[in-house]
Amino acid sequence: MTYPTPQQLAAKAAEKGFRVGAYVHMSTATPDTAAPIREFSGLNGQVQAVWMGGACRNLIGELRLSSQHPLPYQFPAAYEFFTSSQLVAEASRQAGSIAATAGYTAAMVQGYGSAGTDTWVTTDPNPQGAGAVFVSLRQQPAEAPAPDLSPSMEIIVGGQLVTATDVAHWMSANPKQGKKLFKEMQNLYGPKPIMLHLAMFSGATMLAAVAASVIAARRKNQGE
């Protein structure tokens, strides 16, 4: 078996918006539990993120990027990057902040000089660095976590049949690879694999994340 290199794992994760240093949390949790990705590892052809100080390993499909701890690469091009202390202080004032701004080393600002300015600041001594974490100067809407499954719902959802298309989606494979992986699942679990089997086969730790992703992909394919 050919194992992907660290560069290949990083490139595959980047396709989904994940990079080393990005803050993530479980999809069924809130950003309050977010922690940075330390590195990526491979599992059954998929990408795992090693995070929470190395204590947790999860497939990136089970994680969300934290909306409360963005890195520079996560800001759209419409945001201006300020490092001038005067501009940072003025942007903070426009955002309605009354806190001291001396510790801020940079700001990411959308709509500078307008009433609807959106300002994020960092205290990182190297704000130009890829790992600088920014925080918002205004209250951000709470990000609703994906619903977890009750034991009874796990039985219902886990028992749903899956297709080669579902397997390809969840395991980030092309259609040909998806069919091959589906056949491998049939060899392991019988002719009619179910959602629970897909979670087990992929190494997922949360059935809810697998089911939510697969169902969303089905709806998208059906044009809903």
Side-chain angles (χ1 to χ4, degrees):
M1 179 183 292
T2 302
Y3 294 96
T5 65
Q7 292 78 12
Q8 290 172 324
L9 290 171
K12 197 170 183 179
E15 291 175 359
K16 303 291 185 180
F18 294 86
R19 296 187 188 180
V20 169
Y23 275 65
V24 295
H25 57 91
M26 298 299 293
S27 62
T28 54
T30 66
D32 294 337
T33 62
I37 296 173
R38 174 181 287 185
E39 61 182 341
F40 295 109
S41 63
L43 177 68
N44 298 331
Q46 294 201 92
V47 182
Q48 277 187 322
V50 181
W51 63 298
M52 200 61 79
C56 296
R57 290 174 181 264
N58 291 93
L59 300 176
I60 58 176
E62 299 178 287
L63 300 172
R64 283 185 183 175
L65 289 166
S66 173
S67 61
Q68 307 296 324
H69 309 83
L71 302 187
Y73 82 92
Q74 292 173 252
F75 286 93
Y79 281 78
E80 297 180 84
F81 180 59
F82 297 149
T83 55
S84 162
S85 57
Q86 291 86 355
L87 288 175
V88 171
E90 178 58 22
S92 301
R93 186 194 66 77
Q94 290 181 14
S97 174
I98 58 174
T101 62
Y104 300 153
T105 55
M108 286 283 191
V109 185
Q110 182 181 45
Y112 181 77
S114 68
T117 182
D118 184 26
T119 303
W120 297 69
V121 294
T122 183
T123 57
D124 193 298
N126 181 26
Q128 292 93 346
V133 180
F134 287 75
V135 295
S136 179
L137 288 182
R138 69 180 184 185
Q139 186 69 35
Q140 295 292 317
E143 184 178 5
D148 207 347
L149 299 176
S150 66
S152 58
M153 282 302 296
E154 282 195 351
I155 295 173
I156 296 172
V157 174
Q160 288 189 9
L161 296 176
V162 293
T163 66
T165 301
D166 296 330
V167 176
H169 162 74
W170 175 247
M171 300 193 71
S172 300
N174 61 43
K176 184 178 180 179
Q177 293 171 331
K179 291 178 181 178
K180 183 178 179 181
L181 292 168
F182 184 73
K183 287 181 179 179
E184 290 182 21
M185 288 181 60
Q186 288 179 313
N187 291 335
L188 288 171
Y189 307 115
K192 296 182 178 181
I194 58 177
M195 196 79 72
L196 178 60
H197 295 150
L198 178 56
M200 294 167 60
F201 182 73
S202 66
T205 61
M206 294 172 49
L207 178 59
V210 179
S213 182
V214 168
I215 291 171
R218 288 175 180 174
R219 289 176 176 170
K220 183 178 180 180
N221 291 336
Q222 293 168 357
E224 295 185 6

